[in-house]
Amino acid sequence: MKALKLESWHSQPVLRDVPVPRPGPGEVLVQVGGAGACHSDLHLIHEFDEGALPWGPPFTLGHENAGWVHAMGPGVTGYEAGQPVAVVGAWGCGLCARCRAGLETYCDRPDLARVAGGGGGLGLDGGMAEYLLVPDQRHLVTLPEGLDPVHAAPLTDAGLTPYHAVRRSREKLVPGSTAVVIGVGGLGHLGVQILHATTAARVIAVESRDSARDLAERSGADLVLAPGPDLVAEVREATHGLGADVVLDFVGSDETLRTAVACARMLADITIVGLGGGTLPVSFFSVPYEVSVQSTYWGNRSELVEVLDLAARGLLHAEIVRFGLHEAVTALEQLAIGAVDGRAVVVPHTEYRR
Ligand code: NAD
Ligand code: ZN
Ligand code: ZN
């Protein structure tokens, strides 16, 4: 089969012929119907050096996957070939309390996992391939009726990550509150929809690209702004001088973090989701009183079930740009130059084939 391999850090991924994996005990082979291209793939390819992470190349890219169960190893029960599934991407030890709660991103015993702190497309082979080997059926969520793998794939990360971040701040997103979303790309456009569908907050989206600002508006943002010298004043004006109760930063640069603080109201949450590498000085007087600053990483299995349900009910819709598997490199290139609105999804199979 074909697979998009990252063979070393700082190298262009290449499409290679590799053997189709055979599922061993407990494992499931998924025929891939959608593998999203995430900006984290670009950070991974270009910004990491040997030893920076507990894992490294070579591995197949693609950590945002959905498809159909194709073959099952001994001991797998409850699934049948052709069943559409989404794949939970973080693969922890499966035994610690966090993993038992479905929060494998924060596994307490990464030393017992197949790869510490990683998963498919993150140290182990991912879904930018014809088939994806999933090490345990606990990582599969059956797709609800009416949701296809191409649209489900982005929900496993671009949907799940903002969902987890929004949920964490739910108590602050009451009627009368304001949420600011910075960066309306793959994650941000779903973040805006999730805020709209699951909270009573007013949503202000901040985005530098014209076409992505249009997407923010289609996604349900109440006000869409461009970064620039007037931005903070515009947010303050729109919030009667109070500022935002929650800021979700899907960029994470020095500039956006400065903006986040300048827009924040006392008691606000500032959540850093983007891996932009910026820093934010936090001291008694550098942020408004009782502001909480946190990063969030991905989300948990039960939250993915909720995200998929939102989508199946038409309350959440990933806007996608499709690419064939042979165009996977192009998908990443398009993402890198800001030519993708919503999510680029690599589609190795358009329907299930026995
Ligand atoms: P994307 O490229 O699809 O979207 C980023 C958007 O931000 C683009 O629309 C871009 O135009 C916009 N942007 C860039 N700079 C801006 C600025 N200064 N002001 C306003 N808008 C700006 O990327 P994505 O796949 O949505 O990922 C977003 C970030 O989140 C990346 O850094 C990615 O690595 C990270 N990420 C984090 C997690 C996590 O668990 N924390 C999960 C997935 C992705
Ligand atoms: Zn990602
Ligand atoms: Zn664990």
Side-chain angles (χ1 to χ4, degrees):
M1 69 169 186
K2 300 276 184 211
L4 187 72
K5 288 275 171 197
L6 182 66
E7 297 186 326
S8 58
W9 295 125
H10 302 284
S11 72
Q12 270 306 321
V14 279
L15 210 56
R16 294 279 187 222
D17 281 305
V18 300
V20 177
R22 289 167 67 96
E27 298 177 337
V28 180
L29 189 66
V30 171
Q31 192 174 96
V32 182
C38 178
H39 210 110
S40 300
D41 293 320
L42 300 176
H43 292 302
L44 263 184
I45 294 166
H46 300 294
E47 293 166 21
F48 287 84
D49 295 310
E50 188 76 42
L53 293 170
W55 41 264
F59 60 89
T60 301
L61 288 165
H63 56 268
E64 188 177 271
N65 307 304
W68 301 270
V69 168
H70 185 66
M72 289 154 281
V76 177
T77 54
Y79 285 98
E80 57 187 53
Q83 195 166 337
V85 287
V87 181
V88 183
W91 298 341
C93 76
L95 300 169
C96 73
R98 296 272 168 73
C99 283
R100 298 275 191 204
L103 193 55
E104 302 206 17
T105 41
Y106 303 150
C107 173
D108 280 327
R109 293 298 306 272
D111 53 308
L112 300 180
R114 278 198 197 197
V115 61
L122 301 166
L124 296 171
D125 289 337
M128 292 205 178
E130 291 172 59
Y131 294 91
L132 167 66
L133 185 65
V134 178
D136 193 295
Q137 70 180 88
R138 74 175 188 276
H139 303 308
L140 301 180
V141 178
T142 300
L143 292 191
E145 196 87 19
L147 191 59
D148 58 80
V150 184
H151 288 91
L155 299 178
T156 66
D157 176 15
L160 178 58
T161 302
Y163 188 81
H164 180 77
V166 168
R167 235 173 149 251
R168 199 177 182 287
S169 296
R170 196 165 41 185
E171 274 149 34
K172 297 185 180 177
L173 296 166
V174 294
S177 69
T178 300
V180 169
V181 170
I182 303 176
V184 186
L187 273 68
H189 89 289
L190 292 168
V192 168
Q193 292 180 40
I194 288 163
L195 284 161
H196 193 63
T198 66
T199 80
R202 185 154 184 265
V203 182
I204 300 178
V206 178
E207 166 59 52
S208 43
R209 290 184 296 126
D210 289 345
S211 59
R213 281 200 298 277
D214 293 342
L215 175 59
E217 213 161 294
R218 288 200 297 285
S219 298
D222 298 287
L223 178 65
V224 181
L225 301 172
D230 302 329
L231 173 62
V232 173
E234 288 169 326
V235 172
R236 291 271 163 199
E237 194 188 320
T239 54
H240 311 291
L242 297 175
D245 298 86
V246 173
V247 182
L248 302 175
D249 186 350
F250 294 108
V251 178
S253 64
D254 284 335
E255 176 202 333
T256 58
L257 289 173
R258 259 199 311 275
T259 300
V261 171
C263 291
R265 184 182 182 182
M266 285 179 278
L267 281 168
D269 280 351
I270 295 175
T271 302
I272 307 168
V273 181
L275 312 184
T279 54
L280 174 65
V282 175
S283 64
F284 193 85
F285 288 116
S286 73
V287 296
Y289 293 133
E290 226 170 309
V291 159
S292 302
V293 178
Q294 59 260 309
S295 61
T296 56
Y297 179 46
W298 224 331
N300 65 14
R301 185 165 53 223
S302 63
E303 289 169 338
L304 180 59
V305 173
E306 294 170 16
V307 166
L308 296 174
D309 184 70
L310 279 178
R313 291 165 57 209
L315 296 169
L316 183 62
H317 178 76
E319 186 144 320
I320 60 163
V321 185
R322 284 169 206 251
F323 293 86
L325 183 53
H326 62 288
E327 301 167 315
V329 171
T330 312
L332 289 166
E333 285 169 355
Q334 295 282 301
L335 177 64
I337 61 168
V340 174
D341 289 329
R343 201 51 143 188
V345 180
V346 172
V347 184
H349 293 94
T350 52
E351 58 188 343
Y352 182 61
R353 267 191 275 133
R354 252 165 228 293

